[in-house]
Amino acid sequence: MFRTALRNVLAHKARLLMTVLAVMLGVAFVSGTLVFTNTISDAYQKSSAKGFDQVDVAMTADYKDAEGDQVGKLHELTQSVLDKTERVPGAASAIGVVQNFTALADKDGKLIGEGFQSQGGNYWGTKDPRYPLVSGHAPKGPGEILIDSATAKRAGYTVGDTVRMSVDGPVLTPRITGIFTTDDGNVAAGGSLTLFDTPTAQKLLGKPGVYDQIDVKAKPGVTQAGLKAELDKALPEGTVSTTTGKQLADDQADMIARSMSGMQTALLVFAGIALFVGTFIIANTFTMLVAQRTRELALMRAVGASRRQVTRSVLIEAFVVGTVAAVTGLVAGIGIGAGLRSLMGTFDATVPDGPLVVTPGTIIAALAVGILVTMLAAWLPGRRAAKIPPVAAMSSVHAKATTKSLVLRNTLGALVSAAGVAVVLVATTMDGSDGQVPMGFGAVLLIIGVFILTPLLSRPLIAAAAPVLRAFGISGKLARQNSVRNPRRTAATASALMIGLTLITGMTVMAGSLQQAIEKMASASIKADYVVSMANGNPLSPDVEKKLKQAGDVTATSPMLNAETRIDGQSEYVTGVNGAAIGDLVGPKVDQGSFKVGGAQVVVDSETAKSYGWKTGSAFTASFGDGKKEKLTVAGTYESNDFLSGILLDEKTLSPHESDPYNMKVMVKTADGTSGAVQDKLEKALGTNPAVKVQSKDDISNEIAQMFTLMLNMVYGLLAMAVIVAVLGVINTLAMSVFERSQEIGMLRAIGLDRKGIKRMVRLESLVISLFGAVLGIGLGVFFGWAAGELLASKMATYELVLPWARMGVFLLLAATVGVLAALWPARRAARLNMLEAIKAE
């Protein structure tokens, strides 16, 4: 039986090629994902570990009180602490570290990197071992800086250039005195690192004479743990926290691994989808191969082979095919991993240098996935063939599915589909986070149910295309009949496209609806022409609003001052605004009362009011930072959103109690509205500051929607793999169908159907099957997009379903193109059959 199985594999090389390709693509996706994420993770981990080469023990100020509770900073790392550290036995040297946000502009005045990736620090002395100089010399005084070599290359800066930069407000124009190399992860991810001399860094980034961290280097022969113990003994308990360099590197590695796990999971999900789609193709292929060899298998049964031996022979074939596909898929996956890493440079995503990482786990996963998926997909056809009695197989009595089996399949499909729809509908009534798992479970049930029902659905849906197919004459009629001749095979082929288009359509519906919801939210809640904020989300300098007021076109401004208060014994943040102007700058939906802020009158979002039991006219007492209390009255309640929420009170009421409230943003109204010229004027009024963002409503909504757009583009790219696998499935089905129908095609040629007619028949059959899968996929995608939107609507009042008709039309066109392209080779093969040989074929 083993030799027979190997002979069958070698005898059907061409027919099994598509199966090998389908499995190979799925395995390549899995192994490529693992290679890519392992390579990137390893590069970042080694890079971050290099960053701790100069650190044996890191010291930070203790943030815990005597009870061990996390509190504000209790102590400071001053020069005296640094001096004491250097005298500790076992310490060779100590470096005081200062670090904070620093925005560096390129030559066009735009911020280099994202806000959170733009950092500043101090250069220690004249030769800092942490930052080897490539050129130039150490900075001296506030007018000199160093920049990292990656930033210098991206922005085109050299030693001697003057740059624009900012820390927390005023624009500085220092000169570059040197360029250095670094293994800093933020720089590797596309950010920037700017270094000052230590006194300047302390003044700009923190507090004069105070360090954020002290890095200690051990003497030769002293272990990190030993140095840590000496430091803990020498310094007063509770003043500092000490951590070994190894622990810092391990923590960093864990953080990188966790951050990469999300990307790895997302990529593996799409790899799973490709494999799931490929499973249909494998099952389809083995079903047809087994059907073509039914008489051969029956003869084997007749001469003594058992059912188990017949099933085993099919599984051996699957094992050989799966092994070949898994090995080639692994090799292709390594290439994909290397290609993805190179591709990251195209998107300005810099990655630290490092070797391509192929772990034993990746190899095992690739082989296991390829072999197991193939064998599982082949098991059912093999088992079904083994159960057919030899006599029935020889007389082809088994050929058609029994009425009982079809009724059972349709009943099961209807029940599973109904259960899926019910679970999804119930999930839409739940809270956003609570409904995610039930909705995912319901979606899986519904897809499985529809797949089971697809043979039943194929007849009415394909029959609907009959009027169009009639225009193609006898070829169209034959194509329609052939596409429903074997509903199970048609279903398995169409399901591959259905799953891909379900996901693509669902994501497109959600993304389009979210985009409109965000735009509605921005236009409904913001009347201001511009919103000014820091690039890294830090508080704005008080000077920002003063400078904006001096700009000629500005008619109204309001800060958004955040401060912590206590209300009814609970901590509650309030927002101080310009009471006289806020009504002209924001316009949320008012639920009760009026939107009037001034004196003791405040407005509160509905959720906060409900939690405290307030309504219009309710009075409450707030305790402020200076310990004083104010009695405030609710003038009205409003509907909160991502731009505005909480308790709004007049800044004149808040300011006397808070010496330094957080000014998170400034709302600005101008006489001429929004335009490029007005925005430039506001930016110039702020000194063309790279640390400050001046955004219109469109800018804000686009920034929020950008992550959804990026995610959608990723989905399109990743699901292209599933579509490619689906194309292979259509080709495979048609090619084997042509082989099965060789005698029939020969007869059609003999009675007058020319080669063009044969080609047209196969192409139309492929087109009908592809469009059938597309209609099912788009229909399911719209349903899932609506259902997921209902969950979002519970958190976003402006959300409503938007159907992307144009894109759905493109998806249909894509499916039609897939059908036409997939039929090219099978149609050509059918047309070239010798009619006499075909008629004689068994």
Side-chain angles (χ1 to χ4, degrees):
M1 294 300 292
F2 180 74
R3 288 198 301 271
T4 303
L6 290 180
R7 181 188 63 77
N8 286 329
V9 171
L10 296 174
H12 302 105
K13 292 188 292 289
R15 301 182 212 171
L16 290 169
L17 177 63
M18 296 298 174
T19 302
V20 170
L21 284 174
V23 181
M24 185 197 76
L25 281 172
V27 172
F29 208 161
V30 171
S31 55
T33 294
L34 293 173
V35 168
F36 172 66
T37 52
N38 288 337
T39 298
I40 300 300
S41 180
D42 182 73
Y44 275 115
Q45 286 176 13
K46 286 181 177 176
S47 175
S48 65
K50 285 181 187 176
F52 295 113
D53 285 348
Q54 301 300 322
V55 184
D56 285 320
V57 176
M59 295 168 47
T60 55
D62 202 347
Y63 281 74
K64 294 182 179 179
D65 59 17
E67 285 74 36
D69 295 325
Q70 196 84 5
V71 295
K73 190 179 290 186
L74 296 174
H75 306 279
E76 292 179 337
L77 300 178
T78 59
Q79 186 63 38
S80 63
V81 177
L82 180 64
D83 294 339
K84 189 180 289 186
T85 301
E86 289 181 316
R87 295 193 295 270
V88 169
S93 62
I95 294 176
V97 178
V98 183
Q99 53 193 8
N100 209 331
F101 168 69
T102 300
L104 184 68
D106 60 19
K107 291 185 176 181
D108 295 325
K110 302 299 182 184
L111 177 68
I112 297 175
E114 299 293 333
F116 68 92
Q117 295 171 331
S118 304
Q119 297 294 315
N122 66 314
Y123 190 81
W124 191 253
T126 57
K127 193 172 182 181
D128 194 328
R130 300 172 299 168
Y131 306 115
L133 285 174
V134 176
S135 59
H137 60 81
K140 299 175 184 177
E144 296 184 352
I145 62 166
L146 304 180
I147 64 171
D148 66 90
S149 55
T151 298
K153 184 179 179 181
R154 284 201 304 271
Y157 285 135
T158 58
V159 173
D161 287 346
T162 299
V163 297
R164 298 180 66 81
M165 57 167 292
S166 176
V167 174
D168 64 351
V171 176
L172 306 175
T173 54
R175 185 172 62 88
I176 299 173
T177 63
I179 294 171
F180 63 92
T181 59
T182 178
D183 294 308
D184 187 280
N186 283 323
V187 173
S192 64
L193 180 60
T194 308
L195 301 180
F196 309 86
D197 65 6
T198 298
T200 302
Q202 289 176 324
K203 181 181 177 183
L204 291 175
L205 306 177
K207 188 176 178 181
V210 176
Y211 301 102
D212 297 310
Q213 182 174 304
I214 295 176
D215 293 343
V216 190
K217 188 73 176 170
K219 288 179 179 178
V222 179
T223 64
Q224 291 186 353
L227 178 58
K228 181 181 184 302
E230 290 289 345
L231 289 168
D232 290 340
K233 188 193 305 179
L235 296 168
E237 186 178 354
T239 59
V240 297
S241 296
T242 55
T243 311
T244 63
K246 183 180 184 305
Q247 185 62 51
L248 289 172
D250 290 344
D251 291 345
Q252 184 84 349
D254 288 342
M255 185 185 73
I256 291 169
R258 285 195 302 271
S259 66
M260 293 300 296
S261 67
M263 179 192 294
Q264 189 179 67
T265 301
L267 290 171
L268 286 174
V269 165
F270 290 105
I273 291 167
L275 279 171
F276 186 53
V277 171
T279 302
F280 293 137
I281 299 170
I282 300 164
N284 227 9
T285 302
F286 276 94
T287 299
M288 288 186 280
L289 285 174
V290 169
Q292 291 167 14
R293 299 198 339 255
T294 302
R295 291 188 179 182
E296 176 189 326
L297 294 174
L299 183 60
M300 290 170 61
R301 289 285 313 281
V303 296
S306 66
R307 289 184 178 182
R308 186 174 295 175
Q309 285 179 311
V310 170
T311 304
R312 194 182 301 148
S313 71
V314 176
L315 290 178
I316 290 171
E317 290 181 49
F319 175 79
V320 173
V321 171
T323 303
V324 172
V327 171
T328 53
L330 174 61
V331 174
I334 294 171
I336 289 172
L340 285 173
R341 177 178 169 168
S342 301
L343 195 62
M344 287 189 75
T346 309
F347 298 105
D348 298 325
T350 309
V351 179
D353 292 332
L356 204 64
V357 178
V358 184
T359 64
T362 300
I363 297 172
I364 292 169
L367 293 175
V369 164
I371 295 170
L372 286 177
V373 166
T374 309
M375 291 184 71
L376 284 173
W379 175 75
L380 188 60
R383 183 171 175 272
R384 191 184 298 134
K387 289 174 70 176
I388 301 170
V391 176
M394 289 178 183
S395 59
S396 299
V397 174
H398 70 288
K400 292 185 179 180
T402 63
T403 304
K404 180 181 176 182
S405 69
L406 292 174
V407 169
L408 182 63
R409 176 173 181 143
N410 294 337
T411 303
L412 178 62
L415 290 173
V416 174
S417 299
V421 171
V423 173
V424 169
L425 292 177
V426 169
T428 60
T429 64
M430 298 180 178
D431 183 66
S433 55
D434 295 336
Q436 290 177 2
V437 173
M439 182 164 291
F441 178 66
V444 171
L445 280 179
L446 181 55
I447 288 176
I448 293 172
V450 171
F451 170 66
I452 296 171
L453 279 176
T454 308
L456 179 66
L457 297 173
S458 63
R459 291 188 179 277
L461 288 177
I462 292 175
V468 178
L469 293 173
R470 277 197 207 101
F472 296 94
I474 189 65
S475 295
K477 183 179 180 181
L478 289 170
R480 182 179 66 80
Q481 291 175 346
N482 288 334
S483 57
V484 294
R485 173 186 293 183
N486 191 330
R488 291 186 176 184
R489 185 190 303 164
T490 298
T493 307
S495 294
L497 271 177
M498 178 190 78
I499 292 169
L501 284 175
T502 294
L503 294 165
I504 291 174
T505 305
M507 292 297 297
T508 304
V509 169
M510 283 183 62
S513 302
L514 275 171
Q515 176 73 50
Q516 180 167 298
I518 292 165
E519 290 172 0
K520 274 187 176 182
M521 187 189 298
S523 60
S525 61
I526 300 178
K527 292 181 182 178
D529 295 315
Y530 293 97
V531 178
V532 180
S533 61
M534 287 288 284
N536 66 334
N538 280 358
L540 285 164
S541 165
D543 294 335
V544 169
E545 188 181 9
K546 294 176 184 176
K547 290 181 179 180
L548 288 169
K549 286 180 177 178
Q550 295 169 3
D553 289 334
V554 174
T555 58
T557 64
S558 174
M560 305 289 281
L561 307 172
N562 281 7
E564 188 177 8
T565 64
R566 293 196 72 81
I567 300 171
D568 292 347
Q570 298 182 42
S571 177
E572 190 74 53
Y573 276 89
V574 297
T575 303
V577 297
N578 182 345
I582 192 65
D584 296 325
L585 298 169
V586 297
K589 182 181 177 183
V590 177
D591 293 332
Q592 292 181 9
S594 61
F595 196 81
K596 290 183 179 179
V597 179
Q601 285 193 317
V602 300
V603 292
V604 187
D605 74 88
S606 301
E607 290 183 11
T608 302
K610 184 180 178 181
S611 67
Y612 284 101
W614 296 338
K615 57 184 179 181
T616 302
S618 295
F620 63 93
T621 301
S623 299
F624 292 91
D626 59 356
K628 295 181 180 179
K629 299 180 179 180
E630 289 272 359
K631 189 172 183 180
L632 305 173
T633 304
V634 178
T637 62
Y638 65 94
E639 197 173 87
S640 66
N641 54 57
D642 286 355
F643 301 107
L644 199 65
S645 63
I647 301 171
L648 307 185
L649 76 162
D650 199 310
E651 62 174 324
K652 294 176 182 176
T653 305
L654 176 65
S655 296
H657 302 291
E658 300 286 339
S659 58
D660 189 23
Y662 294 108
N663 186 3
M664 300 310 296
K665 60 187 72 169
V666 176
M667 318 284 281
V668 182
K669 191 82 172 174
T670 63
D672 297 331
T674 57
S675 69
V678 172
Q679 190 164 352
D680 287 342
K681 188 179 289 186
L682 294 178
E683 289 175 349
K684 286 178 181 176
L686 297 173
T688 316
N689 194 326
V692 179
K693 293 192 297 186
V694 179
Q695 296 178 294
S696 65
K697 286 185 285 188
D698 289 342
D699 293 334
I700 293 171
S701 59
N702 289 338
E703 184 178 66
I704 296 173
Q706 188 175 8
M707 61 179 176
F708 298 113
T709 304
L710 178 64
M711 181 174 65
L712 186 64
N713 289 336
M714 280 185 64
V715 170
Y716 285 160
L718 294 170
L719 287 177
M721 183 69 75
V723 173
I724 292 171
V725 175
V727 171
L728 290 175
V730 177
I731 296 173
N732 207 18
T733 298
L734 289 174
M736 300 195 79
S737 178
V738 166
F739 178 82
E740 278 186 349
R741 304 201 314 258
S742 295
Q743 192 175 50
E744 176 186 317
I745 290 170
M747 289 296 295
L748 289 171
R749 289 289 316 283
I751 61 175
L753 190 62
D754 59 11
R755 289 186 173 180
K756 285 185 179 180
I758 295 292
K759 285 183 179 180
R760 191 180 301 120
M761 176 187 72
V762 177
R763 287 171 187 161
L764 289 173
E765 180 182 348
S766 175
L767 183 65
V768 167
I769 292 173
S770 298
L771 288 176
F772 167 56
V775 169
L776 285 180
I778 292 172
L780 283 173
V782 169
F783 176 70
F784 290 140
W786 165 81
E790 290 297 298
L791 285 182
L792 289 172
S794 65
K795 297 290 185 183
M796 188 179 289
T798 54
Y799 185 92
E800 63 179 42
L801 182 68
V802 176
L803 292 180
W805 295 106
R807 289 203 178 188
M808 288 194 292
V810 170
F811 297 156
L812 275 175
L813 186 61
L814 173 67
T817 305
V818 164
V820 172
L821 292 177
L824 290 178
W825 178 65
R828 185 167 178 270
R829 186 169 180 268
R832 294 180 65 183
L833 284 174
N834 183 293
M835 67 178 76
L836 293 178
E837 290 181 2
I839 291 170
K840 291 188 295 181
E842 285 292 330

